[in-house]
Amino acid sequence: MPQNRPENRPENTTENTTENALVVVENLRKTYGATVAVEDVSLTVHPGEIFGILGPNGAGKTTTVESIAGLRTPDGGTVRVLGLDPRRHRTEITSLIGVQLQASELPERIRAREALELYASFYPSPADPAELLERLGLTKVQNTAFAKLSGGQRQRLSIALALIGNPKIAILDELTTGLDPQARRDTWELVKQIRDSGVTIILVTHFMEEAEYLCDRIAIIDAGKVVALDTPAGLVDAARSEQRITFKLEGPFDDAILTALPAVRTVRHERDRIVVTGNDDLLVGVVTELAGRGLKPYDLHTEQTTLDDAFLQLVPLAGRDFEGAQR
């Protein structure tokens, strides 16, 4: 996972406090017939942060952000954006929030610049379409039909459409799904630039690496509830219950040599590697014991606890549905 995460972090955003928050969601509930999409979600989003929302498929992520944007009417709880109710103050909210939804589509023949100019006509004080095209690297394809844009170009255009109204908050839902690795990383850098320009971002993502790289704080939602809310580092620290080392050995090996050590919890074999988990004394204990028996481990790696591990501890059955959280 990338370690060079953004440096320009907003202060005092590690707690879910309502003071100075741009967005306040309290006990949100939303149902569709007998289906409970969101059961009880509470969170706050502070100025200048990239706030991530993670969760398995069907957890209630999109319904939550659509309620924030005023596109859904909650059945219970409250949502406030700069103190306004998104449903009661629809006109004001439209100028405060820019939205890029997961299923956003445009007519195949509309050109990039035409789409921006059309959207700009909806706002009283829009951004300059030409400047946005330049900023998002779309000037060269401004006259290209939507159907002929690449996946990365379409995503950049959807971001431009979310920003055309000069919003204070941008909601980006599954922004990089379907993009190749390079286009995904290019989009990450663009998101950082948008945040650094003064736009607060709510990012719904299926990619663990994306969340860890971009987000200041993350709410993990499962079955319509927030099961954890912290910084990426805070979530990882809370999950750091064991260390793991992997290595190779030549010749036969009796697992009991290591399972008898106080520092060791488990020993298992994965193809030609031995994987050992345990407490903070694991590495020293294992290497010392093997050396004392004349066994020399090679290709040894220590594995740090990651956001993947934190997610799987909190939502243990979701790994098969969650990009980057599979073991």
Side-chain angles (χ1 to χ4, degrees):
M1 293 211 174
Q3 299 300 316
N4 56 329
R5 297 175 61 233
E7 297 296 334
N8 298 327
R9 296 292 186 186
E11 297 181 357
N12 301 321
T13 60
T14 58
E15 296 182 1
N16 195 37
T17 59
T18 60
E19 185 177 358
N20 299 322
L22 291 183
V23 177
V24 178
V25 178
E26 294 182 325
N27 307 118
L28 177 67
R29 179 179 175 83
K30 177 63 180 177
T31 61
Y32 301 100
T35 302
V36 179
V38 176
E39 184 172 349
D40 184 10
V41 166
S42 296
L43 55 85
T44 60
V45 180
H46 295 272
E49 70 176 333
I50 301 177
F51 186 92
I53 297 180
L54 305 184
N57 292 331
K61 307 184 299 297
T62 295
T63 298
T64 296
V65 295
E66 288 180 348
S67 297
I68 292 172
L71 302 176
R72 301 286 179 185
T73 302
D75 298 315
T78 60
V79 178
R80 293 292 181 270
V81 178
L82 275 77
L84 302 175
D85 183 321
R87 294 297 297 179
R88 292 176 54 198
H89 303 92
R90 188 76 186 98
T91 301
E92 295 93 326
I93 291 299
T94 298
S95 64
L96 294 173
I97 298 181
V99 182
Q100 176 268 328
L101 294 177
Q102 184 176 358
S104 298
E105 286 291 338
L106 290 171
E108 290 188 355
R109 294 185 179 182
I110 194 169
R111 298 177 181 182
R113 186 184 183 95
E114 290 174 339
L116 272 179
E117 290 174 343
L118 174 63
Y119 275 56
S121 69
F122 302 155
Y123 298 94
S125 301
D128 183 342
E131 289 183 5
L132 266 183
L133 287 166
E134 179 67 28
R135 180 179 172 190
L136 274 70
L138 293 171
T139 301
K140 291 183 179 181
V141 295
Q142 62 180 315
N143 293 317
T144 301
F146 180 76
K148 295 184 178 181
L149 296 176
S150 69
Q153 290 167 344
R154 289 188 183 194
Q155 291 297 64
R156 286 173 175 265
L157 178 57
S158 69
I159 296 172
L161 295 174
L163 298 177
I164 191 66
N166 281 319
K168 293 183 178 295
I169 302 165
I171 295 176
L172 308 177
D173 189 1
E174 304 291 2
L175 179 66
T176 61
T177 297
L179 299 186
D180 62 64
Q182 185 58 56
R184 181 175 296 159
R185 288 182 175 272
D186 290 344
T187 304
W188 292 354
E189 297 309 311
L190 178 59
V191 171
K192 287 165 53 179
Q193 293 170 20
I194 293 168
R195 188 277 305 275
D196 292 344
S197 72
V199 179
T200 298
I201 294 173
I202 300 175
L203 178 70
V204 180
T205 181
H206 245 60
F207 295 101
M208 203 72 69
E209 186 179 19
E210 181 168 283
E212 191 164 19
Y213 183 67
L214 287 175
C215 296
D216 301 293
R217 290 188 302 143
I218 296 170
I220 296 179
I221 297 179
D222 184 36
K225 296 181 180 179
V226 175
V227 297
L229 198 166
D230 206 335
T231 63
L235 292 170
V236 170
D237 286 343
R240 188 172 284 126
S241 59
E242 67 177 19
Q243 289 196 2
R244 182 168 52 243
I245 61 173
T246 72
F247 56 89
K248 297 180 180 179
L249 279 176
E250 292 183 354
F253 169 72
D254 184 358
D255 290 359
I257 292 174
L258 297 183
T259 55
L261 297 177
V264 173
R265 290 177 185 156
T266 65
V267 178
R268 69 179 187 275
H269 297 259
E270 294 184 357
R271 297 181 181 177
D272 60 342
R273 301 189 67 80
I274 299 166
V275 182
V276 185
T277 66
N279 63 26
D280 291 344
D281 299 323
L282 178 67
L283 179 60
V284 173
V286 167
V287 172
T288 300
E289 181 66 20
L290 293 176
R293 293 175 178 270
L295 299 172
K296 295 182 179 180
Y298 66 99
D299 195 15
L300 187 149
H301 298 278
T302 61
E303 298 181 5
Q304 301 297 321
T305 303
T306 66
L307 192 58
D308 290 9
D309 300 312
F311 180 83
L312 289 172
Q313 282 189 23
L314 292 161
V315 191
L317 299 180
R320 64 183 182 274
D321 296 326
F322 203 85
E323 191 74 37
Q326 302 176 14
R327 291 198 179 278

